[in-house]
Amino acid sequence: MAPIETSEDPIANKRKRETDEHGKRKRARRNHVSTHSQPPQEAKASKVNGVNGVNGVNGSNIPSGDLDNMEENPNAKPDSALTTITTTQASQQLQTRSKHEETHEGQSTTWRISKPMGGRMLNIDPILTQDEKHLIIAYNTTIQIYLTSDSLLVRKIPLLQLEEVKGQQVVSICLSPSSQNLVWVASSAGHLWLIDWTNGAGAEVASKLKCSILCDMTVDCVKLGSTTKDVPFVSFEKGSNWHIAACDAHGSKLVQHRILLTQKEPILDLRSIRNGYALAASSEKNIMFGMQRFPEARAVHELQYEFFTLNGNDEIACLDTRVTDRIHLNQRSQAEAGSEPVVDIVVGCARGAVFFYNDIVPQLRRLHSSKGSRNALQPRKYHWHRKAVHAIKWSRDGNYIISGGSESTLVLWQLDTQKMDFLPHLSATIENIVVSERGSAYVVHLDDNSVMVLSTAEMKPTAYVSGIQALTYPQPLSKDDIVRRVGQFPQDRLLRTPAAINPADHSRIHLCVGNGQQTSYSRSGPSIPLIQTVDLTTLQSISKQALTRTNPTDNNVTAKGHSITEPRITNMSYSADGKWLATTDEWQPPTRDVDSLEGAPADRREVYLKFWAVSPEDQNLELVSRINAPHYTGRSEPIYGLAADPNLHRFASIGEDGVVRLWEPAVRQRDGVLVQGKKGRQLYSWTCSRAIYLQENEELINPDAIAVQAFQRGSGAVAFSEDGSTLVCAIGTVHGSTVHIIDTESGNVRNSIDGLITGDIRDIKVISSVLVVLSDRLMVYDLVSDELLYGVQLRGNENPHGPGASILTHMAVDYRTSTFAVAVSRTNPNSHSTNSELAIFTPDQSQPEMVRQFPHPIISVVAAVGSSGYLVLDSAAQLWSVSEGMDTKSLAFAQSLVDLNLDQVHTEEALDDGSTLALLAEDDEPASGDEMDVDEPEDAAHDAYPVVIAPQRLAELFDTAPAFAMPPIENMFYQVTKLFSSNSAVPA
């Protein structure tokens, strides 16, 4: 099919015909040269590989997937999702450049990928050291130590055994009772580590307990004979049974283990009491309580416990114990209870109830004695939480019970007065609570990947550690799902996370996030109404701002128990100078809410286009204009794509109505007078400056057709060229998909190209004169010569009834290196896992420069600003840096204080041992006579003088950001040495 030309502009059509004739002559000469220069073997191979073909652009014959050039790439995997397809002309072009490609393939890839930074904090209790100066937090495969004084990362301890095995993670961390510098770590695979968290020693060696899965661990200092030692108690599954075992470990080496209890039901929340005097755990609705039979045991294999089962009426979600010395008021109580300690147990249940068992040991002895009563224990019951109690702890004085759940409220139960105190409006669901040894601080772990330290006196945060809060995939398990609830459903949708970097500040990345993991998922799709700003040099959250309406801490549940959904930000884009931000958000009511009404849920869809002014001081956003239903056809149509002009304050949007709209700011006036804001700042209003109707939608849309297509959603994308003179857009409808080339000045459609799109449109970009279209296939098209350069088939979902060729596919362009990165995430037919690949292409070569597999699905790819390369965000909230070669301007991620050598001794202290610097030793040596007789030229003598750098030049380096957001010390060192080595330095 020939390109469609518009008849409105005869001059443009004439120029187009002349360009086509020139392109035909040039291709004919190139084909003639390549035919004569091609070796016979290569010509024969081309014929063999070109037997099977599919119809391509403008009727050209495209070789099918038999041409798999990925096999030549040493970085490509055998199971790669990328298969190269090219036109006959493109194949001949590649053959004429065979010498260049052979040189390129012979070299190793110049692209490098950094180690992952960030990640999700695990749902286990963090550790606050005894002096309350350090906070130890567990991640999937690492242990990270933070300072509570300034929330900076001190040390990152990787666990190499977990990095080698996919799907395993840390399940418990416990501070050693015998040494405050040691921490015990257990993994779900059965590994046990004893690590010195002050220097990371011991992380290389781990003991392995043979089990199917290790669930929990607690460590206590147990007296065995005349000595005391750390004894880890673990609960694990082996075969079809669950066990509680005591481990005999010499350092980090596991010698043996003693089975203390065996049963069929899972054993969770294992707790040790008073130097191994007793053990407590939960098992579904029951509390397992065991007391040591023989306190005089001399070895671990001699430990024996007598277990009692306390039956409950609700599933147990969390548990905590407290032990105190018994105080006797008279001789009678001493005779009855003896000297046994007082053990109190409190449990939080899945339906919101809290049960308190007071002084449980004497009651258990009476129940199991021959003269005791056979009545069950009657705990005290409290109830405030409307869902499961996620975390519960005792205060150090025993007067309060602290609990938290999905209400984002910290509840303090005062046992004596039966009153409650609240700390409401936290940012997300409370997952874990820790009380410090002194009782002066609470550590609260929230569902939005953050941990805060609260002062118990004022209930104000003294430390805050927050990472990347993007939604993870798959959805993490929640204690609210222990019991079946109304509206509960599995979330299996993987969506792209909008992300962007402000061109005016390339040290920060902006992500669209939700109010925690649990409240962000609903049957209508994930809700991401917030924008989070993350510092790339520290990987810490700087701020979080709502861009749509939110209700994170209100009662966000309907009367029937369904969750109230929030809008989802679908697109975001910064202007070229970083002064404006445009966002689109979308919301529609669930189907259950409109069943009794006429029409589909899409008829009540709410779509908004918002323009925000970016503050130059702190990057805060101020809403300037809100466009209701920017693409309206009797109802609010969704916006498929949003793009920013690289040269002007102008944005372009494309919607399901098939219309491309250009948006520009206008000076705000009132009665002919300019309106000014605070400090005399000029105010603007954003309006639609031009509406471009694409050819498929020039006719009026039939309302009946809208009703028929209510349940069908199309796709589209839009992008500007590098100079902003051309706008390219792709729109997919039930009739087909077409790419349109639009002149931004006149608004005329210069060209329309069919055949580039297969399936849903994911993205479209322009690099110089090359058009890159991403759908189920990646197509690279030369707009000047009007020919297809090459195409890459993205291997489809093996399920024929699946939604498309891949679960998630997106693209980013780096104009500094003239490359583009494509991320493909697809399901594994043999499992429920999702594999992701990232490939980097150039417009002139079908062979990717790099192909890498990622362990988690990629949910966002952003081109770096201020340097070459890309930033990759995966579904595990990890950020990766992809850069080319040894670019000194490439992004440097957060490093711990140890990696920066900021916790080492000072240089003066290091020299006290008598050692001297090499430079000083050379200066002390007497010069030889030959060296003294040499006459230096005047230029060399002039260069020997020390240079002086202007103070303002150094201020530009060191005053660009606060201390916590400064770049790594290595980067600063190179910048300073560059100043001193440049010719701009002034001699002293």
Side-chain angles (χ1 to χ4, degrees):
M1 181 180 294
I4 302 175
E5 298 181 355
T6 59
S7 59
E8 298 179 359
D9 194 348
I11 299 177
N13 293 336
K14 181 179 179 181
R15 190 185 307 112
K16 179 68 170 55
R17 287 192 297 270
E18 293 175 354
T19 303
D20 293 342
E21 294 295 334
H22 176 71
K24 291 179 180 179
R25 292 192 298 269
K26 183 170 63 174
R27 288 194 297 272
R29 290 195 302 269
R30 184 164 54 243
N31 294 341
H32 177 73
V33 173
S34 61
T35 302
H36 292 283
S37 61
Q38 182 179 6
Q41 294 180 356
E42 294 185 2
K44 181 178 180 180
S46 300
K47 293 180 181 180
V48 173
N49 290 334
V51 172
N52 296 326
V54 294
N55 291 330
V57 180
N58 299 337
S60 61
N61 191 39
I62 303 177
S64 67
D66 294 337
L67 264 178
D68 195 352
N69 294 334
M70 296 297 297
E71 297 178 358
E72 302 175 4
N73 188 0
N75 298 324
K77 304 296 182 183
D79 194 22
S80 177
L82 306 176
T83 304
T84 305
I85 55 176
T86 60
T87 60
T88 305
Q89 292 86 352
S91 300
Q92 294 172 352
Q93 293 177 23
L94 293 176
Q95 291 167 2
T96 60
R97 297 194 302 267
S98 59
K99 182 177 181 181
H100 171 73
E101 287 194 1
E102 289 175 0
T103 304
H104 175 75
E105 292 174 3
Q107 299 175 354
S108 61
T109 176
T110 59
W111 290 87
R112 56 190 178 93
I113 301 179
S114 68
K115 294 182 179 180
M117 292 297 298
R120 289 285 303 178
M121 303 175 187
L122 295 179
N123 187 13
I124 59 179
D125 290 344
I127 296 176
L128 185 63
T129 57
Q130 190 173 7
D131 56 3
E132 300 183 4
K133 293 183 179 180
H134 294 88
L135 188 64
I136 305 175
I137 303 175
Y139 289 75
N140 282 337
T141 59
T142 60
I143 304 296
Q144 300 186 14
I145 294 92
Y146 294 85
L147 285 174
T148 56
S149 57
D150 49 17
S151 304
L152 289 179
L153 177 64
V154 178
R155 182 172 289 100
K156 181 179 179 180
I157 304 175
L159 304 176
L160 302 180
Q161 287 80 358
L162 294 184
E163 294 179 354
E164 299 172 355
V165 182
K166 185 178 180 181
Q168 306 297 335
Q169 65 179 22
V170 177
V171 295
S172 179
I173 56 174
C174 299
L175 205 62
S176 174
S178 58
S179 177
Q180 295 298 315
N181 293 338
L182 300 178
V183 60
W184 286 90
V185 181
S187 74
S188 57
H191 295 97
L192 293 179
W193 292 268
L194 181 60
I195 302 174
D196 189 341
W197 61 265
T198 60
N199 54 25
E204 302 84 4
V205 181
S207 300
K208 183 69 166 61
L209 180 66
K210 295 182 179 180
C211 61
S212 302
I213 181 173
L214 193 148
C215 187
D216 201 358
M217 177 188 68
T218 182
V219 181
D220 213 338
C221 190
V222 181
K223 184 177 180 181
L224 299 173
S226 59
T227 61
T228 58
K229 62 179 299 184
D230 289 353
V231 177
F233 296 91
V234 296
S235 63
F236 61 92
E237 181 188 19
K238 187 175 183 180
S240 59
N241 296 323
W242 285 80
H243 310 277
I244 295 179
C247 299
D248 186 5
H250 293 170
S252 60
K253 183 179 180 181
L254 181 63
V255 179
Q256 61 181 348
H257 65 276
R258 165 78 174 181
I259 301 296
L260 305 177
L261 175 67
T262 300
Q263 64 176 30
K264 295 293 185 180
E265 294 78 15
I267 302 174
L268 310 174
D269 300 315
L270 185 60
R271 300 290 183 268
S272 178
I273 302 171
R274 183 65 69 86
N275 299 330
Y277 165 77
L279 296 175
S282 64
S283 178
E284 297 181 350
K285 296 183 179 182
N286 303 326
I287 300 176
M288 316 300 297
F289 185 80
M291 291 186 294
Q292 195 172 3
R293 288 184 176 181
F294 308 108
E296 62 277 3
R298 297 182 178 181
V300 174
H301 66 272
E302 296 181 3
L303 291 176
Q304 295 184 17
Y305 284 80
E306 181 182 5
F307 281 88
F308 304 90
T309 301
L310 306 179
N311 298 324
N313 55 4
D314 196 359
E315 284 78 4
I316 298 175
C318 52
L319 176 147
D320 193 33
T321 61
R322 178 177 179 267
V323 58
T324 57
D325 295 328
R326 186 176 300 276
I327 300 176
H328 300 286
L329 301 179
N330 50 51
Q331 295 182 353
R332 180 180 178 182
S333 62
Q334 184 177 4
E336 293 179 354
S339 59
E340 293 179 337
V342 178
V343 179
D344 299 331
I345 298 179
V346 60
V347 296
C349 298
R351 292 176 174 83
V354 174
F355 293 95
F356 164 42
Y357 294 85
N358 182 28
D359 196 5
I360 193 173
V361 175
Q363 300 183 59
L364 289 176
R365 294 196 183 279
R366 286 196 298 267
L367 287 175
H368 287 79
S369 64
S370 58
K371 299 180 180 179
S373 174
R374 293 301 177 182
N375 296 330
L377 293 177
Q378 295 298 327
R380 191 183 304 177
K381 181 180 179 181
Y382 305 94
H383 203 150
W384 180 85
H385 298 277
R386 64 174 179 262
K387 287 187 178 181
V389 183
H390 288 218
I392 195 164
K393 282 295 184 294
W394 283 100
S395 64
R396 289 303 172 188
D397 57 5
N399 295 328
Y400 290 90
I401 295 174
I402 305 101
S403 64
S406 58
E407 300 83 8
S408 304
T409 301
L410 191 68
V411 185
L412 286 80
W413 310 78
Q414 192 172 8
L415 300 180
D416 294 338
T417 61
Q418 308 296 318
K419 293 183 179 179
M420 293 181 293
D421 294 331
F422 302 96
L423 181 63
H425 305 296
L426 298 179
S427 58
T429 300
I430 298 174
E431 292 293 349
N432 302 95
I433 301 173
V434 174
V435 182
S436 65
E437 290 288 338
R438 303 174 183 174
S440 59
Y442 297 146
V443 181
V444 181
H445 170 218
L446 302 177
D447 186 39
D448 61 354
N449 203 26
S450 65
V451 170
M452 66 172 62
V453 181
L454 298 172
S455 171
T456 58
E458 301 177 354
M459 280 296 173
K460 293 183 179 180
T462 59
Y464 182 69
V465 178
S466 177
I468 298 174
Q469 300 179 0
L471 297 185
T472 59
Y473 178 87
Q475 181 182 357
L477 299 177
S478 173
K479 293 181 180 180
D480 293 335
D481 301 333
I482 296 178
V483 295
R484 186 170 181 83
R485 302 180 184 276
V486 175
Q488 180 180 344
F489 72 102
Q491 177 66 36
D492 55 356
R493 297 179 60 186
L494 181 63
L495 299 178
R496 182 180 67 91
T497 296
I501 299 178
N502 190 341
D505 186 3
H506 57 268
S507 65
R508 301 176 178 181
I509 186 172
H510 307 271
L511 309 170
C512 293
V513 300
N515 292 298
Q517 298 294 321
Q518 303 303 326
T519 58
S520 298
Y521 285 102
S522 63
R523 190 175 294 274
S524 301
S527 300
I528 45 177
L530 309 174
I531 181 172
Q532 182 193 19
T533 302
V534 179
D535 194 318
L536 292 175
T537 57
T538 61
L539 260 294
Q540 291 285 330
S541 176
I542 298 177
S543 63
K544 197 163 59 171
Q545 183 175 348
L547 300 187
T548 68
R549 66 175 185 271
T550 60
N551 51 348
T553 60
D554 297 333
N555 190 356
N556 52 1
V557 178
T558 64
K560 295 183 178 180
H562 298 281
S563 59
I564 299 176
T565 60
E566 298 171 333
R568 179 171 63 91
I569 302 174
T570 55
N571 299 282
M572 63 182 299
S573 180
Y574 276 96
S575 61
D577 56 2
K579 295 182 178 180
W580 296 97
L581 173 67
T583 62
T584 62
D585 58 87
E586 179 181 339
W587 177 87
Q588 71 179 32
T591 306
R592 62 176 181 271
D593 294 343
V594 296
D595 287 340
S596 59
L597 304 176
E598 295 182 357
D603 297 336
R604 292 170 173 81
R605 182 190 294 119
E606 297 179 4
V607 180
Y608 298 104
L609 173 62
K610 299 177 181 178
F611 298 95
W612 308 79
V614 182
S615 173
E617 292 82 11
D618 50 10
Q619 302 295 315
N620 287 338
L621 303 177
E622 178 185 357
L623 182 62
V624 174
S625 299
R626 188 187 77 174
I627 313 298
N628 300 343
H631 294 264
Y632 187 77
T633 58
R635 66 175 185 179
S636 297
E637 300 294 349
I639 297 177
Y640 291 149
L642 182 67
D645 194 311
N647 297 320
L648 302 176
H649 287 167
R650 178 168 59 181
F651 293 91
S653 65
I654 184 172
E656 193 170 333
D657 58 348
V659 180
V660 176
R661 298 184 184 273
L662 300 180
W663 308 88
E664 296 183 10
V667 178
R668 191 177 301 179
Q669 298 182 359
R670 183 181 299 138
D671 298 331
V673 180
L674 298 180
V675 179
Q676 295 182 349
K678 298 179 180 179
K679 300 181 181 180
R681 184 168 54 92
Q682 187 64 56
L683 299 182
Y684 296 89
S685 296
W686 284 78
T687 58
C688 180
S689 60
R690 187 184 300 274
I692 304 171
Y693 292 85
L694 304 181
Q695 293 180 357
E696 289 86 349
N697 296 276
E698 289 183 349
E699 299 179 358
L700 295 178
I701 299 179
N702 187 359
D704 297 334
I706 296 178
V708 172
Q709 301 176 11
F711 298 99
Q712 298 179 358
R713 179 152 184 162
S715 58
V718 63
F720 282 92
S721 61
E722 295 185 48
D723 58 358
S725 62
T726 304
L727 185 68
V728 296
C729 62
I731 184 71
T733 62
V734 293
H735 304 290
S737 302
T738 307
V739 177
H740 302 275
I741 314 299
I742 302 173
D743 185 2
T744 56
E745 296 300 327
S746 62
N748 297 329
V749 179
R750 296 300 186 185
N751 193 7
S752 296
I753 307 173
D754 296 323
L756 291 179
I757 301 171
T758 303
D760 293 338
I761 302 168
R762 308 304 172 90
D763 205 349
I764 188 170
K765 298 292 182 182
V766 178
I767 306 177
S768 184
S769 62
V770 176
L771 175 67
V772 183
V773 182
L774 180 65
S775 58
D776 289 350
R777 295 186 301 178
L778 174 67
M779 308 298 285
V780 180
Y781 190 85
D782 193 332
L783 296 175
V784 176
S785 61
D786 194 17
E787 63 180 1
L788 178 68
L789 299 181
Y790 64 87
V792 177
Q793 179 68 41
L794 308 180
R795 183 176 299 173
N797 192 347
E798 284 75 2
N799 181 10
H801 304 287
S806 58
I807 294 180
L808 185 61
T809 308
H810 38 189
M811 176 174 60
V813 172
D814 182 14
Y815 294 105
R816 287 176 174 264
T817 58
S818 297
T819 60
F820 58 94
V822 178
V824 181
S825 300
R826 56 188 175 86
T827 57
N828 189 345
N830 299 324
S831 64
H832 298 286
S833 61
T834 302
N835 298 325
S836 283
E837 292 179 346
L838 179 72
I840 297 180
F841 292 88
T842 56
D844 57 345
Q845 292 183 1
S846 61
Q847 185 77 11
E849 292 191 351
M850 186 201 73
V851 178
R852 286 290 187 274
Q853 287 190 354
F854 284 75
H856 303 281
I858 298 175
I859 59 177
S860 184
V861 179
V862 181
V865 177
S867 63
S868 62
Y870 303 90
L871 291 179
V872 178
L873 177 65
D874 64 15
S875 62
Q878 297 180 134
L879 206 58
W880 309 67
S881 174
V882 183
S883 57
E884 183 181 19
M886 300 301 294
D887 186 5
T888 58
K889 294 184 178 180
S890 61
L891 287 173
F893 279 141
Q895 301 182 52
S896 63
L897 299 182
V898 174
D899 296 334
L900 298 177
N901 296 323
L902 296 184
D903 65 339
Q904 304 296 328
V905 295
H906 296 288
T907 306
E908 294 79 6
E909 299 176 359
L911 297 178
D912 290 341
D913 57 354
S915 61
T916 58
L917 294 177
L919 183 60
L920 296 179
E922 292 177 1
D923 292 341
D924 292 340
E925 295 178 359
S928 63
D930 295 338
E931 294 175 348
M932 296 177 65
D933 293 339
V934 174
D935 295 331
E936 294 184 356
E938 294 182 358
D939 296 338
H942 177 76
D943 295 339
Y945 286 107
V947 295
V948 178
I949 300 299
Q952 58 269 23
R953 300 290 302 278
L954 294 174
E956 292 177 358
L957 291 178
F958 293 98
D959 297 343
T960 55
F964 68 89
M966 288 294 291
I969 190 67
E970 182 182 359
N971 190 12
M972 298 298 298
F973 173 77
Y974 286 126
Q975 296 291 340
V976 173
T977 54
K978 184 178 179 180
L979 283 180
F980 279 91
S981 61
S982 63
N983 295 328
S984 60
V986 180

